[in-house]
Each structure stands twice: as structure tokens, then as C-alpha cells.
Amino acid sequence: MNIPDELKERIKTAKNVAVFTGAGISAESGIPTFRGKDGIWNKFRPEELANFDAFIKNPELVWEWYNHRRKIISETKPNNGHFAIKELENIFDDVRVITQNVDNLHKRAGSKAIYELHGNIEKNFCIKCKKRFDFIELIESDKLLKCDCGGLIRPGVVWFGEMLPEKVFAEAENFARKTDLFFIVGTSAVVYPAALMPIYAKESGSYLIEINIEATEITYSVHHSFFGQSGEVLPELLEKIKLILTGE
Ligand code: BV8
Ligand code: ZN
């Protein structure tokens, strides 16, 4: 793996590091991506399921789809890419994950600072009284669940057409603007406003590093891309960073 000289210099002085992730980082854990060839969207289109109207029109189908995804997630575990990101915390002063993923794998890998821009599939709430129903053992109950107020219980994820959690977004943006290094891992960078994060970082002088199996919408605007599986590239990059910092 070749590290450009400018990146070597940036690594030596970096303090604040963000890792912006998408579905691709969880692919090697066995969770299908959204738009890849085995993407979950291939069977359904976002417009069909990941939006509030679809849930009101056909709550059983949408609930079943999320339960299906929860089942997949419950059988997976973080991969070497997630663990390498966690390990960055031992190298740089302030490392934070800004994720679009709802699968909880960064938390299970031990990352301490995570901004979940699109919510979390294990969180649920009543659409009427907003009561939270986190970590229900939903997997047994394929059937739709109702709150004691009679309202439908929905997944605590951000659907298309919905606002992202304002405080989380603002804090993630604020940190992105303070970073020295900004990693972009396993995302097609087509979903907004999350895809603004790398732009905020670049505007503020951060060095952008993409890790993906192929070129994406963001490739033309990053400083350097490493093409390969994130579960392989990230651990290798971590070792290189350690060597650079020990002067070898
Ligand atoms: C909002 C939670 C408005 C739910 C998700 C036209 C143009 C621009 C924008 C829009 C538009 N029309 C509508 C919009 C807005 C829309 C949007 O951006 N649409 C896109 C599709 C065009 N955005 C919204 O609706 C957002 N809300 O705008 O609200 C508003 C404003 C004011 C007031 C009220 C409302 C809400 C967006 C959030 C949607 N929710 N998820 C759920 O999960 O079910 S989005 C969903 O996509 C996931 O969160 C996912 O993470 C995210 C992004 O996808 P990726 O993570 O990038 O995944 P993808 O499969 O695309 O790519 C995987 C990548 O990994 C690929 O590049 C692949 O090469 C790579 N890869 C694969 N394997 C590996 C790998 N890389 C490395 N290693 C590997 N092994
Ligand atoms: Zn309720």
C-alpha cells in the first residue's frame, strides 16, 4: 500500500480524525449494502419501503422488512474494518465516527464517539405518543406491534423525506469542520444531507481519504483513494500509520 507523502505529513501532525461510514463497511460482516449488486434495494426501492407513507400504507410489509434486517444484523458481528477504526482512538487525540449505518456495528466494535446520522435499527418509537421501545426482542414478534396508546410502533431510523436528528447532525458537522484527517469508508455518497459531511471537512482544510471497492461520487473530490475491501485496507492502513508515527 503506497502512502502519498502529503498524507504521511498530515498523519504526523493529525489530532482530530473523523471516519464517515456507509453500508460498505458492514458488507464484509454479511449485511447487504443498499445499492450494490446484492443490495437490499434491488428487491425493494427506497421509495417503496424506507419512508413514512410506505409505513402508513403497508405497515406490515415495512415492519417485516426491518425485522428481516434486524435478524441479519443480529447474526453478524463487526469486521476488521470496524475494529481498525476503533483502534485509531489509541493513536490520535480525538477520533469520532460519523455513520449513515443503522446496524450498531461501530458501537459493538467498541468505538467510543459515534454520530448516528440515520438513527439505529434497534431503536423504535410509537408514532402517536413517541414513547420509546428500544431493544424490544422484536425478532420473535414478526407481527406489527402497537403501543398501549394504540399507536403503531416504528423503527427509530431516519426515512427518506425525514429530517436527520438535528443535534447529532450539528455536532457531527462541527467536528467534521475541526478534523485534520477525514476518512470516507464504504459509502456511495449519494444520500443527502449526510453526504455533505466530507464537503464540510474539505472546506475546513481537512485531508480526505476514501476507502471503497470502486470509484464513487466523492472520488473526484478526495485527496487520496485506497481501492479495496475496507476490512482489509483499514487494518493495513492502521499498521502503516503506526510505522509513520514511530518514524520507521
Ligand atoms: C431529507 C435509514 C428533507 C433507513 C437511510 C434528489 C437529489 C438529492 C437529494 C434528494 C433528491 N431527492 C430526495 C433527496 C433527499 C434524500 C436523498 O438524498 N435521496 C437520494 C437517494 C437521492 N434524502 C432524504 O430524504 C433525507 N432527508 O432530505 O429530508 C427534509 C428537509 C427539511 C425538512 C424535512 C425533510 C433522509 C435520508 C436518510 C434515508 N435513510 N437509512 C434505513 O436504513 O432503512 S439512507 C440509506 O442510504 C442508509 O442509511 C445508507 O447508509 C445510506 C447511504 O447509502 P450508503 O451507506 O452509501 O450505501 P450504498 O449501498 O449506497 O453504498 C455502499 C458503498 O460501499 C458503495 O460505494 C460500495 O462500492 C461500497 N462497498 C461495498 N462493499 C465494500 C465497499 N466499500 C469498502 N469495502 C467493502 N467491502
Ligand atoms: Zn403510544
Side-chain angles (χ1 to χ4, degrees):
M1 167 187 284
N2 169 47
I3 310 278
D5 290 344
E6 192 194 347
L7 176 51
K8 281 182 189 156
E9 292 316 306
R10 301 292 292 250
I11 286 167
K12 288 175 191 162
T13 55
K15 296 207 172 323
N16 298 333
V17 175
V19 187
F20 178 64
T21 63
I25 190 154
S26 300
E28 289 157 87
S29 294
I31 300 178
T33 62
F34 287 82
R35 295 164 190 85
K37 58 188 179 331
D38 64 346
I40 38 178
W41 295 134
N42 293 353
K43 295 172 215 37
F44 307 104
R45 284 181 310 110
E47 295 69 30
E48 280 168 19
L49 295 179
N51 70 62
F52 186 73
D53 297 342
F55 181 63
I56 297 302
K57 218 166 30 222
N58 193 338
E60 286 78 9
L61 174 67
V62 174
W63 186 258
E64 200 184 313
W65 181 54
Y66 278 91
N67 257 9
H68 166 67
R69 287 172 61 195
R70 269 189 268 263
K71 269 195 191 91
I72 295 173
I73 290 170
S74 67
E75 285 148 17
T76 65
K77 49 186 190 311
N79 63 57
N80 291 336
H82 295 100
F83 290 120
I85 291 170
K86 155 61 193 168
E87 177 108 8
L88 287 174
E89 291 172 7
N90 306 330
I91 297 175
F92 297 106
D93 287 3
D94 190 350
V95 178
R96 302 187 199 182
V97 175
I98 303 174
T99 189
Q100 302 168 91
N101 298 342
V102 299
D103 59 28
N104 230 16
L105 289 185
H106 286 299
K107 186 155 161 248
R108 288 172 55 194
S111 284
K112 284 208 274 303
I114 306 167
Y115 296 111
E116 291 181 317
L117 297 182
H118 292 159
N120 184 313
I121 202 166
E122 294 185 358
K123 296 191 171 136
N124 307 279
F125 62 91
C126 166
I127 58 171
K128 232 163 134 193
C129 72
K130 306 289 178 238
K131 183 179 168 198
R132 286 183 54 167
F133 291 82
D134 291 353
F135 308 112
I136 287 180
E137 292 318 308
L138 301 174
I139 293 168
E140 297 81 54
S141 60
D142 265 339
K143 71 174 183 15
L144 201 57
L145 294 170
K146 283 210 172 170
C147 169
D148 34 27
C149 82
L152 286 174
I153 297 174
R154 61 161 282 179
V157 300
V158 178
W159 276 331
F160 285 96
E162 292 186 330
M163 286 278 279
L164 276 60
E166 273 177 79
K167 188 165 170 296
V168 172
F169 191 88
E171 286 175 3
E173 175 181 352
N174 182 44
F175 186 71
R177 291 185 182 282
K178 284 194 320 189
T179 50
D180 304 300
L181 296 176
F182 191 91
F183 291 91
I184 300 152
V185 186
T187 184
S188 56
V190 296
V191 173
Y192 284 83
L196 291 172
M197 287 295 158
I199 298 162
Y200 295 146
K202 190 170 182 185
E203 275 171 4
S204 315
S206 197
Y207 187 96
L208 271 53
I209 305 128
E210 177 182 34
I211 295 166
N212 202 305
I213 50 173
E214 60 190 11
T216 65
E217 297 275 313
I218 200 92
T219 303
Y220 73 91
S221 74
V222 301
H223 295 94
H224 188 73
S225 291
F226 292 103
F227 291 115
Q229 307 259 5
S230 49
E232 290 158 18
V233 169
L234 278 165
E236 197 183 335
L237 189 51
L238 183 75
E239 290 316 305
K240 291 275 184 186
I241 290 171
K242 287 178 189 169
L243 289 176
I244 291 163
L245 291 175
T246 49
E248 280 159 43

